Amino acid sequence: MATWSAPGKVFLFGEHAVVYGKPGIAMAIKPRVMVTVRESRYHQKPNSPYIAECFRLMDVKGSVYVRSQLPSSSGLGSSAAVTVATLCAINDEFGLEKNRAEIADLAHQVEMSAQNGRASATDTYVSAFGGMVLVRGNEKRRLLPPQNFSLVIGNTLVSHSTSEMVGKVADLRKHSPDIANPILDSIAAITMRAMYNLDNQKELGSLMNMNHALLDALGVGHPVLSKLVLAARSAGAHGAKTTGAGGGGCMYAICSKSSRNRVAGAIEGCDARAIITTIDTEGARKEKDE
Amino acid sequence: MATWSAPGKVFLFGEHAVVYGKPGIAMAIKPRVMVTVRESRYHQKPNSPYIAECFRLMDVKGSVYVRSQLPSSSGLGSSAAVTVATLCAINDEFGLEKNRAEIADLAHQVEMSAQNGRASATDTYVSAFGGMVLVRGNEKRRLLPPQNFSLVIGNTLVSHSTSEMVGKVADLRKHSPDIANPILDSIAAITMRAMYNLDNQKELGSLMNMNHALLDALGVGHPVLSKLVLAARSAGAHGAKTTGAGGGGCMYAICSKSSRNRVAGAIEGCDARAIITTIDTEGARKEKDE
């Protein structure tokens, strides 16, 4: 029996623009998915297509037990975390000796087949390695994570479709390139500016606010996201923005330690779910068997 | 005794971008300022610096009586309307025989001296001529106004400073041209697209929503403006955006005749003032003396 866990992620800057080769910054967050795998002669068919694909790809049979601190389908990378943790647990239980980079690659393959060939490698990479990552095209660069990086995530509980939102931006770009392309350029400039200001939370907050407005301009906003962003800002956050595909899902705010409870309260006051968290620097890790 | 009136205006698209030579669309609205001028030997010093400047420039003496349907300092061009109506009434009372274009030029001169050399010629031009105008640099082009153009204006009652907001955008442009300039380019593309879609209110609404988000991205938003815009959209408006300098002041929504009361109600429900109005095609006009 082997138990492994892997963290979720938020996109800090540049989502949607990354689809067009622009830079983006993603970060692993503390909430994790824990997966226990036990070798068994009779393969118990898993409910999750991700887990089923992990067993198929690794060509082993066993039973699985999953516990998650991450809400699913909310843009926090829970499917990537499930996949990475399952692959690590299989790797350990069956003595397959894959390293972290191989696990990250395999996890991306699993997501590709479970999502019909459409999956970004960012979620699985960040979940496997932890920390903060600059993504551009196929290139990934690990960033030195800032100190005291307090994050409040607000989950709108509004379901959304990543592929629908990506399609919406693609449509705007096709029919109105003169409107959409400058917006993507501005987002790219904001992301690069953010990369050099990770330790300046006030500057980072104002860049977040701009990036949020530009996501709205691309048409991937949602009234509840706007509401949570406004609530977080008026509760004292340095900045607040949609994270991920938009049209629902989550937003996040950065704030000082002293104001994070107030920001979380403001979000909960809008009938949404708040998660106070910070950067996870470990990535996938072995847990004690229970 | 002569009584003249002149209409207020809203900026439909492109505010702030016009400062940098990009196109903008402004429109005269029904609410008016009425000004009665009576020749008198003893000049009664007016309270308004605009009116005082009108008398000084025209070199006459008289008494003035002003009634306004426009809230002042809210970005609806009330000072331009006061100026245009006063000049027209002076022109009439004293038989000076200036035409409408001359009145518009004189009104701009009055605004320039009353505002220390900083005044756009758009407000006075639109108030003098009425209708809808495309502005770019010093060029002004009258547009064929659309039919059934129902507008709901929401006044946040939050005071704002146009010059402060213009300065904010200038700062962003100076320190972050790679972020600000693409946003201004995108606003310009939206304005041109709007000009060719004035009769397509759904398309116009979606362009308004994008332009609003880009104004937010430039940093001239305000939480109350966001609130009114969201309220108007969820009450069924085709689109809603800040009009004018931002940081307070007004927003407007376009909507069908059947939904305009609902949109106005949603705005009033946010403790703001709503004005249901439409395009004014007359500009300055002579009123019956009471």
Side-chain angles (χ1 to χ4, degrees), chain A residues 176 178-179 182 186 189 193 210 213 217, chain B residues 176 179 182 186 189 193 210 213 217:
Chain A
S176 309
D178 52 345
I179 297 174
S186 185
R193 182 70 58 92
M210 287 194 265
Chain B
S176 309
I179 297 173
S186 185
R193 181 70 57 93
M210 287 194 265

Side-chain angles (χ1 to χ4, degrees), chain A residues 16 115 118 160-170 245-246:
Chain A
H16 284 291
Q115 293 168 197
R118 298 177 94 177
H160 67 152
S161 152
T162 297
S163 64
E164 195 188 306
M165 292 299 123
V166 169
K168 216 171 166 183
V169 176

Side-chain angles (χ1 to χ4, degrees), chain A residues 172 175-180 182-183 185-186 189-190 193 207 209-210 213-214 216-219 222-223 226-227 230 233, chain B residues 172 175-180 182-183 185-186 189-190 193 203 207 209-210 213-214 216-219 222-223 226-227 230:
Chain A
L172 182 69
H175 297 113
S176 309
D178 52 345
I179 297 174
I183 297 175
D185 289 342
S186 185
I190 288 169
R193 182 70 58 92
L207 293 166
N209 293 345
M210 287 194 265
L214 295 175
D216 258 3
L218 288 175
H222 187 282
S226 304
K227 208 168 132 187
L230 290 170
R233 287 180 196 155
Chain B
L172 182 68
H175 296 114
S176 309
D178 51 346
I179 297 173
I183 297 176
D185 289 341
S186 185
I190 287 168
R193 181 70 57 93
E203 173 72 8
L207 293 166
N209 293 344
M210 287 194 265
L214 294 175
D216 258 3
L218 287 174
H222 187 281
S226 303
K227 208 170 133 188
L230 289 170

